[in-house]
Amino acid sequence: MSNNRVQIFDTTLRDGEQVPGCKLNTEQKLVIAERLDILGVDVIEAGFPISSPGDFTSVEKISKLVKTATVCGLTRANAKDIEVAAQALKYAKRPRIHTGIGTSESHIKFKFNSTQEKIIERAKDAVKYAKSFVEDVEFYAEDAGRTDNEYLARVLEEVIKAGATVLNIPDTTGYCLPDEYGAKIKYLKENVKGIDNVILSCHCHNDLGLATANAIAGVQNGARQIECTINGIGERAGNTSLEEVVMILKQHPYLNLDTRINTKMLYSTSQLVQQSMGMLVQPNKAIVGENAFAHSSGIHQDGVIKNRETYEIIDPADVGVTESSIVLTARSGRAALAYRAKNVGYNLTKIELDDLYPQFLKFADFHKEVNNEDLHHLMELNHIHKTN
Ligand code: KIV
Ligand code: ZN
């Protein structure tokens, strides 16, 4: 694989599904997994098999269903978790066990009541044991974002020797700044023996709204896998959003980093996940929100009508949105009114437009948005007939 390829590891069905009140049943998970495979993600984290019989069944069925992507199951660093994950992944064409343990001071002290040395032993043992079931073993250093770099490097060096193929550096609490997260990845690239034989992975949470920025800083500094979810769903404020990182890499070709994602499927995949989980994204959500390609102020509308690129950096067709929308409000100008009137069949003359515009503004002041039906009504009141 080229060194410029960033692997997309989708965890919608594991970290994403941890959202309160948004559980998916097995059938819904299968539909989403199949879509993710066609979308072109490299890895589908299908669940945490030991967590419940339902999760085990979902991982097993997804393993049977998925044709191209690697299917991954999460475990803690203990033998039972690993055995159950291996069992659930038995039918996968490309199985991966994702095992790991907390490495930050607070995790070692409060979660495990342990020591740094004992944590290294558990990490090594878990990777070795997982390796006895599958070739592809990813190790996560939970709370790596707040873990001392020197200690983190020691842990990673040991798990590489134990056979890990991918090293996940989670900013579990979403605490890091992009500079800091990028510097951490750079430090690991430069200081961990054997690092060039494995893939470094970014797993960022969005508690400060920085999950996407941190993941991008990670790949700019040498990571080659991003863990993300559709619509950025996930614990608390969520995870890195898949559609955002994919489009950032596409829209900035000078970064020389690409993915296998068929971006034209992003909008429909976002819709599928919103509907299945009953969790709608906010209208101003980047890439897939309802307003992501909607223009409502007169100045912007005039520009977009003349040339889309004046106010759009993404061609909506590239993410599967049919076209940009010109929303008619009291902030719209003559150009927008003429454009929308033309779209519904009225080629207005300059005189007609000048007469109609003040009435349109009055109407728009009383209504938030002027829709096609309102436009027909305005034309009728003004005895303007359809031209096409
Ligand atoms: O955020 C995190 O640290 C995780 C790990 C379990 C990979 O989700
Ligand atoms: Zn996470």
Side-chain angles (χ1 to χ4, degrees):
M1 191 186 310
S2 122
N3 194 32
N4 300 334
R5 256 288 304 289
V6 173
Q7 301 217 4
I8 297 296
F9 174 117
D10 181 278
T11 182
T12 303
L13 299 175
R14 200 279 297 171
D15 224 355
E17 214 240 351
Q18 290 178 211
V19 175
C22 291
K23 266 210 113 24
L24 297 166
N25 62 37
T26 300
E27 232 10 81
Q28 291 171 315
K29 286 187 184 177
L30 287 170
V31 172
I32 293 175
E34 194 166 33
R35 178 69 70 91
L36 292 171
D37 200 22
I38 305 169
L39 178 68
V41 309
D42 299 281
V43 185
I44 297 172
E45 187 161 53
F48 181 11
I50 203 163
S51 66
S52 73
D55 229 38
F56 180 94
T57 307
S58 299
V59 176
E60 190 176 50
K61 290 192 168 173
I62 290 170
S63 298
K64 287 181 183 163
L65 177 78
V66 166
K67 294 193 172 71
T68 310
T70 293
V71 179
C72 176
L74 185 83
T75 84
R76 291 163 294 188
N78 69 58
K80 188 76 195 145
D81 276 30
I82 293 168
E83 285 158 18
V84 173
Q87 180 73 11
L89 292 165
K90 194 167 65 186
Y91 300 104
K93 291 191 183 66
R94 294 177 190 78
R96 176 183 294 179
I97 292 178
H98 188 191
T99 189
I101 194 160
T103 52
S104 65
E105 223 181 287
S106 71
H107 277 231
I108 295 176
K109 196 161 146 200
F110 302 122
K111 239 175 98 172
F112 302 114
N113 188 21
S114 187
T115 64
Q116 288 193 333
E117 297 315 311
K118 284 185 187 152
I119 291 294
I120 291 183
E121 286 311 307
R122 280 190 64 182
K124 272 179 4 189
D125 289 349
V127 170
K128 272 193 205 145
Y129 196 47
K131 198 78 181 176
S132 70
F133 296 99
V134 295
E135 188 40 48
D136 192 4
V137 176
E138 173 166 341
F139 173 79
Y140 64 86
E142 196 180 6
D143 205 15
R146 293 188 299 170
T147 300
D148 166 68
N149 283 348
E150 268 179 47
Y151 174 63
L152 184 59
R154 275 180 54 215
V155 177
L156 298 182
E157 223 162 88
E158 292 301 328
V159 296
I160 291 174
K161 282 194 244 157
T165 43
V166 182
L167 304 178
N168 179 7
I169 314 301
D171 182 22
T172 306
T173 55
Y175 178 73
C176 289
L177 292 172
D179 277 2
E180 199 182 347
Y181 189 77
K184 189 175 279 285
I185 298 291
K186 187 167 188 281
Y187 176 87
L188 297 173
K189 276 297 266 183
E190 288 170 356
N191 291 283
V192 174
K193 247 187 251 132
I195 199 95
D196 290 336
N197 304 322
V198 300
I199 294 176
L200 268 177
S201 181
C202 312
H203 179 114
C204 302
H205 279 268
N206 207 30
D207 301 66
L208 291 171
L210 292 170
T212 293
N214 283 344
I216 295 297
V219 292
Q220 285 185 289
N221 283 281
R224 284 295 175 268
Q225 178 176 279
I226 296 179
E227 309 198 0
C228 45
T229 60
I230 301 293
N231 301 331
I233 56 167
E235 283 272 4
R236 309 181 306 279
N239 289 54
T240 299
S241 146
L242 182 148
E243 55 281 0
E244 291 174 13
V245 286
V246 166
M247 290 313 290
I248 289 169
L249 297 185
K250 185 173 164 71
Q251 297 308 113
H252 289 276
Y254 66 88
L255 291 178
N256 206 15
L257 295 169
D258 54 23
T259 71
R260 272 181 62 233
I261 298 297
N262 175 358
T263 62
K264 290 189 168 28
M265 289 177 64
L266 287 174
Y267 183 72
S268 60
T269 307
S270 159
Q271 289 288 316
L272 171 70
V273 171
Q274 290 185 50
Q275 280 145 26
S276 315
M277 294 192 117
M279 190 175 171
L280 303 185
V281 300
Q282 76 272 22
N284 62 325
K285 166 83 181 63
I287 319 294
V288 293
E290 283 312 304
N291 291 349
F293 299 99
H295 305 274
S296 60
S297 86
I299 296 171
H300 289 206
Q301 291 178 331
D302 183 49
V304 169
I305 290 166
K306 287 175 177 145
N307 186 319
R308 193 188 60 71
E309 287 183 16
T310 51
Y311 288 99
E312 275 182 3
I313 57 155
I314 298 171
D315 182 344
D318 278 353
V319 298
V321 172
T322 355
E323 55 177 358
S324 328
S325 54
I326 299 290
V327 184
L328 288 182
T329 67
R331 306 287 151 261
S332 299
R334 284 175 167 73
L337 176 58
Y339 174 85
R340 282 281 304 276
K342 192 170 174 206
N343 280 357
V344 291
Y346 306 91
N347 235 331
L348 300 177
T349 63
K350 181 165 181 327
I351 295 174
E352 283 173 333
L353 186 59
D354 285 346
D355 282 352
L356 195 64
Y357 187 64
Q359 292 180 46
F360 159 79
L361 284 182
K362 264 195 198 157
F363 186 90
D365 265 335
F366 281 101
H367 298 77
K368 271 202 169 138
E369 215 181 298
V370 179
N371 60 29
N372 288 349
E373 221 172 282
D374 301 328
L375 276 178
H376 289 302
H377 181 62
L378 272 173
M379 301 300 165
E380 213 175 291
L381 286 178
N382 285 276
H383 309 290
I384 298 173
H385 302 293
K386 277 194 169 188
T387 34
N388 52 40

